């Protein structure tokens, strides 16, 4: 069973994906981590963000074990990720890795921005997670404050709008809700409520698979 969970920045898709993967006993891949790691690696090596081939080489040699979560969750890492994700050559370099992960025995949960449209268009269940810009900015701002970053809330709102525009406007694999994806708006939902709603959708969409998995 393949579950594709897409959505906007700070909508809660990553946390929801991890929880869903644990509930159904599936492997989980945060595909955004691939792009954040590529972006951070490019920053560390001083790569030219206009040099598509150089960025693609970085992506093809990526070793996720060399990046800690703190480095990948900074505001700088997020902006770098958005930039490299707009480069077709980078996306091509990471495409097969993601598809291979999805097709592992037993299935997987992948979260990102193009899972249901490009990486796994035939996924058994597709979810689109979103929330208002203000709520997403509030969540991201609180997260960065804990890490010691000093971005103001108004600046964070601007950053979220920029990310949304860049991710949705890129020519290759733009961020967009798949036609057959189920929308979950988390603006006023707790993570527990969002997970409960996701499980309801999954159980209703692929009941035969859920039943078969429970018998194993």
């Amino acid at each position: 069973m393949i579950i594709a969970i897409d959505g906007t920045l700070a909508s809660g898709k990553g946390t929801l994906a991890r929880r869903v993967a644990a509930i159904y006993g599936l492997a989980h891949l945060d595909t955004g981590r691939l792009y954040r790691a590529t972006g951070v690696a490019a920053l560390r090596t001083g790569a030219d963000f206009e040099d598509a081939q150089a960025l693609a080489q970085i992506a093809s040699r990526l070793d996720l074990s060399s990046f800690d979560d703190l480095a990948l969750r900074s505001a700088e890492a997020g902006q770098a990720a958005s930039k490299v994700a707009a480069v077709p050559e980078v996306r091509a370099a990471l495409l097969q890795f993601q598809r291979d992960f999805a097709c592992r025995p037993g299935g997987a949960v992948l979260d990102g921005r193009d899972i249901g449209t490009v990486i796994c268009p035939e996924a058994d269940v597709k979810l689109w997670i979103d929330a208002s810009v203000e709520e997403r900015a509030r969540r991201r701002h609180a997260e960065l404050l804990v890490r010691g970053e000093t971005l103001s809330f108004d600046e964070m709102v601007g950053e979220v709008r920029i990310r949304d525009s860049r991710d949705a406007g890129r020519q290759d694999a733009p961020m967009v809700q798949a036609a057959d994806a189920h929308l979950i708006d988390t603006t006023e939902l707790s993570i527990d409520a969002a997970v409960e709603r996701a499980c309801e959708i999954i159980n209703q969409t692929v009941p035969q698979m859920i039943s078969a998995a429970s018998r194993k």
Side-chain angles (χ1 to χ4, degrees), residues 58-133:
I58 290 172
S60 66
R61 300 169 183 166
L62 203 58
D63 177 11
L64 284 178
S65 65
S66 63
F67 300 90
D68 60 45
D69 189 62
L70 187 61
L72 298 185
R73 297 301 300 177
S74 69
E76 184 179 36
Q79 288 302 318
S82 188
K83 290 177 182 178
V84 299
V87 179
E89 290 84 352
V90 170
R91 304 197 73 85
L94 296 173
L95 177 64
Q96 196 58 48
F97 178 92
Q98 296 172 80
R99 286 183 171 167
D100 288 345
F101 188 95
C103 293
R104 61 177 49 205
V109 176
L110 288 82
D111 73 86
R113 289 175 172 78
D114 66 342
I115 309 304
T117 54
V118 176
I119 306 301
C120 302
E122 302 303 321
D124 301 292
V125 184
K126 299 179 186 179
L127 303 177
W128 177 263
I129 316 302
D130 202 359
S132 70
V133 169

Side-chain angles (χ1 to χ4, degrees), residues 139-150:
R139 295 171 185 172
R140 186 68 172 136
H141 184 245
E143 181 181 314
L144 294 180
L145 287 179
V146 170
R147 292 190 167 96
E149 299 194 37
T150 57

Side-chain angles (χ1 to χ4, degrees), residues 3 5 11-24 127 129 184-186 189-203:
I3 301 175
I5 301 180
S11 59
K13 66 182 181 298
T15 302
L16 189 148
R18 288 190 295 273
R19 294 273 295 271
V20 165
I23 289 170
Y24 293 99
L127 303 177
I129 316 302
I184 299 178
D185 187 326
T186 66
L189 289 182
S190 67
I191 184 59
D192 287 341
V195 170
E196 182 178 356
R197 177 59 186 138
C199 290
E200 288 175 355
I201 293 170
I202 294 167
N203 293 341

